[in-house]
Amino acid sequence: LARVCRALTGEVGRVIVVAAKGQPLPPLDDTVEVTRDTEPDCGPLAAIRDGIAHALATGPRPAIAVLCSCDVPELSSGVVRFLIETARASGASWVMPIVGGHPQILVSAVTASAFGRIMAEATSPQERKSPRAVLDAIRAEDSTRVLFLSESELVAIDPGLASFADIDTPEDLEKPRFSTA
C-alpha cells in the first residue's frame, strides 16, 4: 500500500485510501487521506464509491480519479501520469488499460463525467455490484466514453507491464521483485 501511495503522490492532487473499519494500515505519508468502508465486504465498487464520496465531500471536485488497488506494488508514476494525460486529452469518461486481454479496472482513470454512474451503480439494490458492471453500462450508453489502452501503448511507459502485476497469494509476495521496500 505504501508503494502504491508513493507512485500516486505527485501525480494526483490527493491520495485517498479506502480501508475496512479497524483495518491496520502501514505507515503512510501524512498527506494520504484514509476513509473507511461504509459497507464492509462489498467489494471494489463500494470502495471506489466511498473514495469518490470522500473526495467530493472534503475538497474541490476532482476532474479525474485514478482507481488503483493496493496490491500493485510495482505501479509506476509514469503509468499514473499517462492515464491522467490520456483522460484529459481524450475526453473519455474512463481510460482503461487492457493487459493480458483483461480490462485493468483497478489501475485506470475515470473522469468526473463517470462519477454519477459509479455512485448510482454502487448504491443500486442489485446483489452483485462490480466495477465491470459500471464499465459495461457506460459502454452500452456510449461506447466512445471508454478508451481502451493497448499493451503496446503501455509498454512504451512500463516495458514489463509491472504496474499491473498484483499480489493475490502469499507466493506472489515472495517473488524477488516484491521483497524490497
Side-chain angles (χ1 to χ4, degrees), residues 2 5 20 24 27 29 33 35 37 43 58 71 76-77 90 92 109 117 120 122 124 135 139 145 154-155 165 172:
C5 290
D29 186 274
E33 300 170 45
T35 189
D37 287 328
T58 60
D71 66 346
S76 118
S77 58
S90 70
R117 185 64 175 180
S124 71
L135 174 66
R139 286 185 69 205
R145 291 182 59 205
L154 298 163
V155 166
D172 290 341

Coordinates of all heavy atoms in Angstrom, one line a residue, residues 2 5 20 24 27 29 33 35 37 43 58 71 76-77 90 92 109 117 120 122 124 135 139 145 154-155 165 172:
A2 N 1.9 1.3 0.8 CA 2.8 2.4 0.9 C 3.4 2.7 -0.5 O 3.6 3.8 -0.9 CB 3.8 2.3 2.0
C5 N 0.8 4.2 -2.8 CA 0.6 5.6 -2.5 C 1.8 6.5 -3.0 O 1.5 7.6 -3.5 CB 0.4 5.8 -1.0 SG -1.1 5.1 -0.4
A20 N -11.0 -1.1 5.3 CA -12.1 -1.6 6.2 C -12.0 -1.0 7.5 O -10.9 -0.6 8.0 CB -11.9 -3.1 6.3
P24 N -5.8 -2.4 10.2 CA -4.5 -1.7 10.4 C -3.8 -1.4 9.0 O -3.9 -2.2 8.1 CB -3.6 -2.7 11.2 CG -4.3 -4.1 10.9 CD -5.7 -3.8 10.6
P27 N 2.5 2.5 7.9 CA 2.8 3.9 7.9 C 2.7 4.5 6.5 O 3.2 4.0 5.6 CB 4.2 4.0 8.4 CG 4.5 2.7 9.1 CD 3.7 1.7 8.4
D29 N 2.4 8.3 4.2 CA 2.8 9.8 4.1 C 1.6 10.5 4.8 O 0.4 10.2 4.6 CB 3.0 10.2 2.7 CG 3.5 11.6 2.6 OD1 2.6 12.5 2.6 OD2 4.7 11.8 2.5
E33 N -4.9 10.5 2.7 CA -6.2 10.6 3.4 C -6.8 9.2 3.5 O -6.7 8.4 2.5 CB -7.2 11.5 2.7 CG -6.7 12.9 2.5 CD -7.6 13.7 1.6 OE1 -8.9 13.6 1.7 OE2 -7.0 14.4 0.8
T35 N -10.1 6.9 4.5 CA -11.5 6.8 4.8 C -11.9 5.3 5.0 O -11.2 4.5 4.5 CB -12.4 7.5 3.7 OG1 -13.8 7.6 4.2 CG2 -12.3 6.8 2.4
D37 N -14.6 2.0 4.8 CA -15.7 1.4 4.1 C -17.0 1.8 4.8 O -17.1 1.6 6.0 CB -15.7 -0.1 4.0 CG -14.6 -0.6 3.1 OD1 -14.3 0.0 2.1 OD2 -14.0 -1.7 3.4
G43 N -16.9 -5.3 -1.7 CA -16.0 -5.3 -2.9 C -15.5 -4.0 -3.4 O -15.8 -2.9 -2.8
T58 N -15.0 16.4 0.8 CA -13.9 17.0 1.6 C -13.0 17.9 0.8 O -12.0 18.4 1.4 CB -13.0 15.9 2.3 OG1 -12.5 15.1 1.3 CG2 -13.9 15.1 3.3
D71 N -2.7 -3.7 -4.2 CA -1.8 -4.8 -4.3 C -1.0 -4.8 -5.6 O -0.7 -5.9 -6.2 CB -2.6 -6.1 -4.2 CG -3.6 -6.3 -5.3 OD1 -3.9 -5.4 -6.0 OD2 -4.1 -7.5 -5.4
S76 N 3.9 2.2 -11.5 CA 4.8 3.3 -11.9 C 4.1 4.7 -11.9 O 3.0 4.7 -12.4 CB 5.5 2.9 -13.2 OG 5.2 3.9 -14.2
S77 N 4.8 5.7 -11.5 CA 4.2 7.0 -11.5 C 4.0 7.4 -13.0 O 3.1 8.2 -13.3 CB 5.1 8.0 -10.8 OG 6.4 8.0 -11.3
S90 N -8.3 12.9 -24.2 CA -9.2 12.1 -25.0 C -10.7 12.6 -24.7 O -11.5 12.4 -25.6 CB -9.1 10.7 -24.6 OG -9.6 10.4 -23.3
A92 N -12.5 11.0 -22.8 CA -13.2 9.8 -22.4 C -13.6 9.8 -20.9 O -13.0 10.5 -20.1 CB -12.3 8.6 -22.6
A109 N -8.3 5.2 -15.0 CA -8.7 6.6 -14.7 C -10.1 6.9 -15.1 O -10.5 6.5 -16.2 CB -7.7 7.6 -15.3
R117 N -22.5 7.8 -12.5 CA -22.9 6.5 -12.9 C -22.3 5.5 -11.9 O -22.9 4.5 -11.5 CB -22.4 6.2 -14.3 CG -22.7 4.8 -14.8 CD -24.2 4.7 -14.9 NE -24.5 3.5 -15.6 CZ -25.7 3.1 -15.8 NH1 -26.8 3.8 -15.5 NH2 -26.0 1.9 -16.4
A120 N -24.3 5.7 -8.6 CA -25.6 5.1 -8.8 C -25.5 3.6 -8.8 O -26.3 2.9 -8.2 CB -26.3 5.6 -10.1
A122 N -23.2 1.7 -7.6 CA -22.7 1.2 -6.3 C -23.8 1.2 -5.2 O -23.7 0.4 -4.3 CB -21.5 2.0 -5.8
S124 N -27.1 0.8 -6.1 CA -28.3 0.1 -6.6 C -28.6 -1.1 -5.8 O -27.7 -1.7 -5.2 CB -28.1 -0.3 -8.1 OG -27.1 -1.3 -8.2
L135 N -18.6 -0.3 -16.0 CA -17.9 -0.2 -17.3 C -18.8 -0.6 -18.4 O -18.9 0.1 -19.4 CB -16.6 -1.1 -17.2 CG -15.8 -1.2 -18.5 CD1 -15.2 0.2 -18.9 CD2 -14.7 -2.2 -18.4
R139 N -20.2 1.8 -21.4 CA -20.0 1.4 -22.8 C -21.3 1.2 -23.6 O -21.4 1.6 -24.8 CB -19.2 0.1 -22.9 CG -17.7 0.3 -22.6 CD -16.9 -0.9 -22.8 NE -16.8 -1.2 -24.2 CZ -16.6 -2.4 -24.7 NH1 -16.5 -3.4 -23.9 NH2 -16.5 -2.6 -26.0
R145 N -17.3 6.6 -24.8 CA -16.9 7.2 -23.5 C -15.8 6.4 -22.8 O -15.3 6.8 -21.8 CB -18.2 7.2 -22.6 CG -19.1 8.3 -23.1 CD -20.4 8.5 -22.2 NE -20.0 8.8 -20.9 CZ -20.8 8.5 -19.8 NH1 -21.9 7.9 -20.0 NH2 -20.4 8.9 -18.6
L154 N 1.0 0.8 -23.5 CA 1.5 0.8 -22.1 C 3.0 0.4 -22.0 O 3.7 0.9 -21.1 CB 0.6 -0.2 -21.3 CG -0.8 0.2 -21.2 CD1 -1.7 -0.9 -20.8 CD2 -1.0 1.4 -20.3
V155 N 3.4 -0.5 -22.9 CA 4.8 -1.0 -22.8 C 5.8 0.2 -23.1 O 6.9 0.2 -22.6 CB 5.0 -2.1 -23.8 CG1 6.5 -2.4 -24.1 CG2 4.3 -3.4 -23.4
A165 N 1.0 -6.0 -12.3 CA 1.2 -7.3 -11.6 C 0.7 -7.1 -10.1 O 1.3 -6.4 -9.3 CB 2.7 -7.6 -11.6
D172 N 3.0 -15.0 -4.4 CA 3.2 -13.8 -5.2 C 4.1 -12.8 -4.4 O 5.0 -12.2 -4.9 CB 1.9 -13.0 -5.6 CG 1.1 -13.8 -6.6 OD1 1.6 -14.7 -7.2 OD2 -0.1 -13.5 -6.7

